[in-house]
Amino acid sequence: MTRKLFGTDGVRGRANTDPMTAEMALKLGAAAGRYFRRDQSPVHRVVIGKDTRLSGYMIENALTAGFTSTGMNVLLLGPVPTPAVGLLTPSMRADVGVMISASHNPATDNGIKFFGPDGFKLSDEAEQEIERLVFSDITPAQSENIGRAKRIDDGRFRYIERVKGTFPQGRTLEGLKVVIDCANGAAYRAAPEVLWELGAEVIPLGVSPNGFNINDGVGSTAPGAAAARIRETGADLGICLDGDADRVILIDETGEVADGDQIMALFADRWAEEGRLKGHTLAATVMSNLGLERYLNDRSIVLHRTPVG
């Protein structure tokens, strides 16, 4: 089957232009709802998060209508990072999770990304079947079986607690001054709160979303703003996120952007020492440089390159 909707990271496009229209979001919600309601369980749930784009309201409501029309109950998280949807989908016993975002792209774009009940991206086969259902006749639920929608006000706090739980007990970030650039996106509240609660002195940037300024001169696609703030304030570290906070750029105390391959090498080295590196293998894209491969080879770590796009 030739794909018409799904790309490498869900369905994306310019907001209010095919395929990123309210009509298509409605059909996608109904198709995904029908796909995940294949068993006879009496309760079916979907968790929906979004970033701060203006079009998120339109797409969120359309998806909700589609899912509830097939009998799915919808739990609305509001603006949360993409990883929050991955974490909260299984913890809230949902059948499927959805993130409404176009990641690092401009505010005029948007996208819909699905997660399975395990919190991971759907398989190609699942996406193909949902796409097939979009272009077929979907039988709606009986009127007495229409789903409900509920806004989850503490979704961000649940995610914050999960993130903090990964930090070693008995350690804090006290004495560390951190510039955190949230790109006016999904992590504009969660990221500064996590750092502050762990003890850091937080210098926030890109935390005033207005629906149009996501990724606009701030965030991981424009780390210069954070670098300048580091030099102005004497901060120890800069962290730049993108619109949905699933990618990061790190900046050192001099305002220099850290090379991504170097960061991956450091993580791989440490995890290999701790026995946490699965298969003693690091997966990176074909864009990673030869220096990373040589560094890992010297430490008997396998580099697996994957295609981009």
Side-chain angles (χ1 to χ4, degrees):
M1 173 182 174
T2 302
R3 289 178 177 235
K4 298 179 181 179
L5 296 175
F6 285 91
T8 57
D9 203 22
V11 181
R12 285 189 182 177
R14 187 175 176 85
N16 239 13
T17 301
D18 188 67
M20 202 44 54
T21 62
E23 180 183 15
M24 183 56 71
L26 176 70
K27 291 179 179 179
L28 278 166
R34 180 55 58 202
Y35 177 81
F36 283 99
R37 284 212 60 190
R38 290 173 298 175
D39 62 49
Q40 300 302 310
S41 173
V43 179
H44 293 270
R45 296 174 177 165
V46 54
V47 169
I48 300 180
K50 62 179 181 178
D51 65 22
T52 57
R53 298 163 205 269
L54 180 66
S55 58
Y57 293 101
M58 173 187 75
I59 296 170
E60 179 186 59
N61 285 320
L63 280 171
T64 298
F67 277 112
T68 54
S69 75
T70 62
M72 297 279 283
N73 291 328
V74 179
L75 305 176
L76 299 168
L77 301 176
V80 293
T82 287
V85 176
L87 284 171
L88 294 177
T89 296
S91 74
M92 298 182 78
R93 308 298 190 270
D95 301 270
V96 57
V98 183
M99 181 64 185
I100 304 168
S101 176
S103 190
H104 59 282
N105 292 336
T108 49
D109 292 352
N110 218 326
I112 298 171
K113 182 177 180 178
F114 292 96
F115 297 83
D118 58 358
F120 289 92
K121 182 180 176 181
L122 295 185
S123 66
D124 290 343
E125 292 74 22
E127 289 182 345
Q128 288 175 353
E129 179 59 17
I130 291 172
E131 185 164 314
R132 185 192 69 78
L133 288 168
V134 166
F135 297 104
S136 65
D137 292 327
I138 300 172
T139 303
Q142 296 294 318
S143 58
E144 64 272 18
N145 295 327
I146 294 172
R148 300 174 182 270
K150 179 180 181 181
R151 192 158 294 280
I152 306 300
D153 295 325
D154 66 345
R156 183 177 89 255
F157 302 109
R158 297 188 192 200
Y159 174 63
I160 286 173
E161 288 305 307
R162 289 289 295 274
V163 171
K164 286 165 54 184
T166 66
F167 198 76
Q169 288 288 335
R171 297 183 62 181
T172 74
L173 297 178
E174 289 183 15
L176 197 66
K177 185 187 294 188
V178 181
V179 170
I180 174 69
D181 184 348
C182 301
N184 292 315
Y188 78 101
R189 297 182 69 180
E193 287 172 359
V194 167
L195 293 169
W196 180 81
E197 290 185 20
L198 290 174
E201 179 182 346
V202 180
I203 303 171
L205 187 65
V207 291
S208 301
N210 60 17
F212 301 98
N213 61 358
I214 189 170
N215 302 313
D216 186 8
V218 287
S220 62
T221 56
R229 189 65 59 87
I230 289 171
R231 290 189 286 265
E232 292 169 4
T233 61
D236 303 294
L237 172 70
I239 302 172
C240 299
L241 306 173
D242 68 337
D244 64 334
D246 66 351
R247 69 180 65 196
V248 63
I249 294 291
L250 299 180
I251 306 173
D252 69 17
E253 73 281 4
T254 70
E256 292 296 318
V257 175
D259 184 89
D261 283 354
Q262 292 176 332
I263 295 171
M264 288 192 293
L266 290 172
F267 273 111
D269 205 3
R270 173 65 65 86
W271 287 4
E273 289 179 1
E274 297 174 350
R276 299 169 56 197
L277 190 62
K278 187 174 181 180
H280 221 63
T281 300
L282 171 67
T285 71
V286 293
M287 303 300 291
S288 60
N289 62 43
L290 185 58
L292 174 63
E293 185 171 2
R294 289 172 176 169
Y295 179 88
L296 296 177
N297 284 342
D298 289 343
R299 287 154 178 78
S300 300
I301 298 173
V302 177
L303 176 63
H304 176 70
R305 298 180 186 272
T306 59
V308 179

